[in-house]
Amino acid sequence: MLPLKILISLCGYVSTIQACSLHDIAPVPSSDLARRSLLPGKKLPTVIKNVRIFDGWRMTDPQDVSFHGEIISPGSIRPEEPEVTVDGTGKFLIPGLIDSHLHISKVSDLELLASYGVTTGVHMSCQSYEACHTFRNQTDLTSIIFAGTAFTGAGNSSSNLPQTGVPFPDLDEATIIANVFNNGSDVFKVAINDDGPTQDVLNGLIHEVHKRGRQAMTHATTREAFAWAVAAKTDGLQHMAADGPLSRCIIDRMLKDRQFVTPTMNIFKQAFANPLILNFLRPNGAGNITYEAVVSNVRLLHEAGVPLLAGTDAVGVVTSTISVPFGSTLHWELQNLGVAGLSPLECLRAATIVPALHHRLEDRGAIEYGKRADLVLLNSNPLDDIVNTMDISRVWIAGFEFQEIGGKSE
């Protein structure tokens, strides 16, 4: 690997700014667990009439969609029930969008995500289990699943078991994994950096995760880290190799083991465009890495058929000069994927049905009977131009209509 950590998650430097070792997490301020807006979501029987539907696979001819409660209903709502009727003529209904890699720190972050039609987020390193459970229980805001606190090499300040303060190697792999899932985590995350973990430790951790029938996500930003993660049979690789082209051997192994990648092109693009971010992430220099290598590797994986998921590494406002906002960045990521060769159809699938399948979220990602009523009504066809995902008319989350659209309240 390169001698320095490459583009580690911005979550890591948030902790640096706070001068707070992740082994000793400070209590979460109550203000971070409070809603910014007092506007409640409205949950009413609803029919959207004469709307074209992207059902997760294709755009249909105009038809009606109804839901009462959080589930999309078969047929029409009973006439005796109160009903909201939405005229969908000339509009386009898509499943709620899924950001497969972000870092939530406040409930108000969920409100921003919802305002941009992001109805599910994968929080990729829980720093406070109390806070993460609070985030997950906001029924009318963006739905969150979360990874336990990321395991890294023994010398890294953001490693291992912050809830107990006992670092590896004092505990074995089974105890570490038990700690993560017994605290309610949905997935396990491990980060490969210059200080480890070793291939053997990585293999043992991921094997222990799979023994439980759960999934492992692995942070990897170099070709060597990708090779280690692939060899360990991780489920999902987070980020992208930025130091040169991935080998055909690695790509073939990924296909064989049905691994997927969330490339987070957004954070690489922002880092290479903003020296403040790049210097924060790589204080001793950028080394032999380029954004062009990121784009090229995404293109290689796409052409080979490796599943790609849209994720942003969003953290919100970090300083007065550094911000990776929630919501809007997912739309930017879809555009980034388009630059790497994905069609608008494939880009949209990367934020709907594909992450739903790979994150085992069987109740969402598509518009069909029995799925969650996570819906985004657009004024323009996203299959004509993926930028049209930002042309939002209305948003529903599990049947609740979110009232503030497009970040207008920011």
Side-chain angles (χ1 to χ4, degrees), residues 218-241:
T218 301
H219 166 117
T221 56
T222 66
R223 289 174 291 178
E224 183 178 26
F226 254 70
W228 287 19
V230 169
K233 298 189 176 181
T234 192
D235 297 279
L237 290 103
Q238 304 299 309
H239 309 300
M240 181 50 61

Side-chain angles (χ1 to χ4, degrees), residues 78-158:
R78 293 190 298 273
E80 66 270 17
E81 294 178 325
E83 175 180 317
V84 174
T85 300
V86 177
D87 184 5
T89 303
K91 296 187 177 182
F92 305 84
L93 192 67
I94 65 173
L97 300 172
I98 300 172
D99 188 332
S100 289
H101 189 124
L102 43 66
H103 298 277
I104 299 293
S105 60
K106 301 183 290 295
V107 169
S108 59
D109 298 337
L110 305 180
E111 296 175 300
L112 285 173
L113 287 164
S115 74
Y116 283 97
V118 182
T119 60
T120 300
V122 184
H123 180 30
M124 267 297 169
S125 184
C126 182
Q127 299 180 39
S128 163
Y129 288 116
E130 174 194 4
C132 287
H133 285 288
T134 298
F135 301 151
R136 187 157 62 186
N137 291 330
Q138 303 296 316
T139 56
D140 60 338
L141 296 179
T142 297
S143 172
I144 291 295
I145 67 171
F146 64 85
T149 305
F151 181 95
T152 71
N156 190 286
S157 64
S158 62

